[in-house]
Amino acid sequence: MRNLKIKTSTCKRIVKELHSYEKEVETEAAKTATMKDNGADPYDLKQQENVLAESRMMIPDCHKRLQASLADLKANLAELEEEGQKEGPEIDDARSTIADVEKVV
């Protein structure tokens, strides 16, 4: 049961990270566009584009980690259900987390 709580929390944390990176990409893209419009120094613009590229690279990584965590959570939940533990707040939380994560993935 303890592993189920840990895996559920991991999935929730990765979803938060994913949303954070998506917001960061939006913010950095807007900042880059503003710098281009204002005719910023080419070096500064290049650095900003590098920041944006790094932020964009984190999104696929988050998706991979989220899929792996989701698979772990589902496996752990199935294992507990096979053992006869089909009810409880941790199990309900895990099921709702699985449903939420599947919407994102």
Side-chain angles (χ1 to χ4, degrees), residues 7 10 13 17-18 27 29 32 34 45-46 58-59 68 73-74 78 81-82 84 91-92 95 97 101 103:
K7 291 179 189 313
T10 301
R13 178 181 45 81
E17 276 183 40
L18 180 62
T27 304
T32 303
T34 302
L45 187 58
K46 179 75 174 159
M58 292 307 296
I59 292 174
L73 179 59
K74 284 180 176 179
E81 287 175 344
E82 286 175 12
I91 292 175
D92 292 339
R95 286 184 183 134
T97 300
V101 170
K103 291 176 189 172

Side-chain angles (χ1 to χ4, degrees), residues 60-77:
D61 178 59
C62 263
H63 273 287
K64 287 179 193 171
R65 289 187 294 129
L66 187 57
Q67 289 172 341
S69 293
L70 180 61
D72 284 348
L73 179 59
K74 284 180 176 179
N76 198 278
L77 183 60

Side-chain angles (χ1 to χ4, degrees), residues 37-50:
D37 292 343
N38 293 339
D41 182 55
Y43 177 78
D44 291 338
L45 187 58
K46 179 75 174 159
Q47 292 299 86
Q48 181 60 33
E49 287 172 347
N50 289 340

Side-chain angles (χ1 to χ4, degrees), residues 20-57:
S20 172
Y21 283 124
E22 288 170 346
K23 284 181 184 175
E24 184 176 326
V25 165
E26 289 176 20
T27 304
E28 296 300 333
K31 188 173 180 182
T32 303
T34 302
M35 288 176 76
K36 283 181 182 178
D37 292 343
N38 293 339
D41 182 55
Y43 177 78
D44 291 338
L45 187 58
K46 179 75 174 159
Q47 292 299 86
Q48 181 60 33
E49 287 172 347
N50 289 340
V51 169
L52 179 58
E54 283 183 28
S55 296
R56 283 190 175 135
M57 287 186 332

